[in-house]
Amino acid sequence: MLTAPPPPASRRQFLTTSVAAALAAALPHPIFSGEPIAAPAASPPPPTRNGFAYRFAIGEIEAWSISDANLALKEGLGLMEPAADRPAMRADLLARGERTDVLPLYVNILVAKLGSEIAIFDAGFGAGKNPESGWLSSSLATIGIAPEKITHAFLSHAHGDHINGFVTGNKPTFPNAALHCLRDELDFWRSPAPDFSRSLRAQGPLPGMIKSNRAKFDILEPNLQLHRDGDALLGGAVTFIPGRGHTVGHSLFRLRSGQESLLHFMDAAHHHTLMFTNPSWAINYDHEPAQAVATRKKLFAELSTTHERSYGFHLPWPGLGRVARADAGYTWQPERWSWGL
Ligand SMILES: [Zn+2]
């Protein structure tokens, strides 16, 4: 391989740099000359990002939807089941002007202030190496809520995008919060051999995921309070609603204040069109796929009848809206943004 001589510009650059270096050596050191010492060259700062905390109300409850992440899952429709329906899913996405190359995955954290109590519903990925996720803590700071101020934490299920943020540096992120979850969810992860036999998800990461979750539950043990479907807390303002299938102890939550309510349906939908067009279309993260589909069908049938205001953990931020009937299935009607309470 031939080595080309450096182009003239490079040679000029080299000379210029050499002259500058020689001059710098001849000048007094800045500390003696009174000049400020230049900071060492640093990597460029990360791009500025908004706090993404959307404020709204549920009756007397002051609430926020905080974005913890907005990912583009590169497996795209490869994550969706049944596989035979992927061409139909693709056609449906195209008809609606949606992306088909990746699956967008939002992570929305609900925070609710009920008098002197502050509740949080799942905690996202946690701050880590990936700058595309783990935004919860900085957004909580922008709305003036210190982690110590949170009194009640609710865990819908123990996938990483929901539980990881509850632990920071081997300690509970919210040290003064009771952590509420269904007993069945905890029992599943602590069982000798958690059963993933019906799940279509990639099996490779499972041993690591089980180990990680057991360690997190151990750290959170002093804060844990275990529940059953239908349990109500905070004077009836928050109720555990059955949502099994995505995991064996997957729970939904209803928040109520006066005549108003919000149904937080967590991971009953991972996409804002696919699961609505056809509730049988499912992401392969489900542990119990048939039950997850049955849960979604029942939920959407109810919500499209009652028109109850709803909230989705994985729907486009801020994730508020309503489920309505459309064609042979349903549609997600996102709520318009409003800056007043
Ligand atoms: Zn999730």
Short mmCIF file of all heavy atoms in Angstrom, two decimals, residues 157 159 161-162 246 267 270 313-314, ligand 1:
data_model
loop_
_atom_site.label_atom_id
_atom_site.label_comp_id
_atom_site.label_asym_id
_atom_site.label_seq_id
_atom_site.Cartn_x
_atom_site.Cartn_y
_atom_site.Cartn_z
N HIS A 157 -45.12 -4.56 37.59
CA HIS A 157 -44.47 -5.85 37.33
C HIS A 157 -42.98 -5.59 37.25
O HIS A 157 -42.56 -4.42 37.14
CB HIS A 157 -45.00 -6.50 36.05
CG HIS A 157 -44.66 -5.79 34.77
ND1 HIS A 157 -45.13 -4.53 34.48
CD2 HIS A 157 -43.87 -6.14 33.72
CE1 HIS A 157 -44.67 -4.16 33.30
NE2 HIS A 157 -43.89 -5.11 32.82
N HIS A 159 -40.38 -6.04 35.10
CA HIS A 159 -39.47 -5.92 33.95
C HIS A 159 -38.57 -4.70 34.18
O HIS A 159 -38.95 -3.76 34.88
CB HIS A 159 -40.27 -5.78 32.65
CG HIS A 159 -40.88 -7.08 32.21
ND1 HIS A 159 -41.90 -7.16 31.29
CD2 HIS A 159 -40.60 -8.37 32.57
CE1 HIS A 159 -42.24 -8.43 31.10
NE2 HIS A 159 -41.46 -9.18 31.87
N ASP A 161 -37.70 -2.06 32.60
CA ASP A 161 -38.14 -0.69 32.33
C ASP A 161 -39.11 -0.18 33.40
O ASP A 161 -39.50 0.99 33.39
CB ASP A 161 -38.77 -0.57 30.93
CG ASP A 161 -39.82 -1.62 30.66
OD1 ASP A 161 -39.71 -2.73 31.20
OD2 ASP A 161 -40.76 -1.35 29.88
N HIS A 162 -39.50 -1.06 34.34
CA HIS A 162 -40.44 -0.68 35.39
C HIS A 162 -39.80 -0.70 36.77
O HIS A 162 -40.08 0.16 37.60
CB HIS A 162 -41.66 -1.60 35.38
CG HIS A 162 -42.42 -1.55 34.09
ND1 HIS A 162 -43.60 -0.90 33.96
CD2 HIS A 162 -42.12 -2.05 32.86
CE1 HIS A 162 -44.03 -0.99 32.70
NE2 HIS A 162 -43.14 -1.69 32.01
N HIS A 246 -49.30 -10.25 30.90
CA HIS A 246 -47.98 -9.71 30.53
C HIS A 246 -46.92 -10.32 31.45
O HIS A 246 -45.86 -10.75 31.01
CB HIS A 246 -47.99 -8.19 30.61
CG HIS A 246 -46.70 -7.57 30.16
ND1 HIS A 246 -46.16 -7.80 28.92
CD2 HIS A 246 -45.82 -6.76 30.80
CE1 HIS A 246 -45.00 -7.15 28.82
NE2 HIS A 246 -44.78 -6.52 29.95
N ASP A 267 -48.77 -2.12 30.89
CA ASP A 267 -48.28 -2.78 29.69
C ASP A 267 -49.36 -3.60 28.98
O ASP A 267 -49.06 -4.59 28.31
CB ASP A 267 -47.08 -3.67 30.03
CG ASP A 267 -45.81 -2.85 30.20
OD1 ASP A 267 -45.93 -1.64 30.49
OD2 ASP A 267 -44.71 -3.40 30.05
N HIS A 270 -48.32 -1.99 24.08
CA HIS A 270 -46.94 -1.52 23.89
C HIS A 270 -46.81 -0.63 22.65
O HIS A 270 -45.71 -0.20 22.32
CB HIS A 270 -45.98 -2.70 23.76
CG HIS A 270 -45.71 -3.40 25.05
ND1 HIS A 270 -46.62 -4.27 25.62
CD2 HIS A 270 -44.66 -3.34 25.91
CE1 HIS A 270 -46.12 -4.72 26.76
NE2 HIS A 270 -44.94 -4.18 26.95
N PHE A 313 -48.42 3.25 29.85
CA PHE A 313 -46.99 3.35 30.19
C PHE A 313 -46.12 3.44 28.94
O PHE A 313 -45.08 4.10 28.95
CB PHE A 313 -46.60 2.11 31.02
CG PHE A 313 -45.23 2.17 31.62
CD1 PHE A 313 -45.02 2.75 32.86
CD2 PHE A 313 -44.13 1.62 30.97
CE1 PHE A 313 -43.76 2.80 33.43
CE2 PHE A 313 -42.86 1.65 31.54
CZ PHE A 313 -42.67 2.25 32.77
N HIS A 314 -46.55 2.76 27.87
CA HIS A 314 -45.70 2.69 26.67
C HIS A 314 -46.29 3.44 25.48
O HIS A 314 -45.86 3.21 24.34
CB HIS A 314 -45.44 1.23 26.30
CG HIS A 314 -44.48 0.53 27.23
ND1 HIS A 314 -43.22 1.00 27.48
CD2 HIS A 314 -44.62 -0.60 27.96
CE1 HIS A 314 -42.61 0.18 28.34
NE2 HIS A 314 -43.43 -0.79 28.64
ZN ZN B 1 -42.90 -2.28 29.99
#
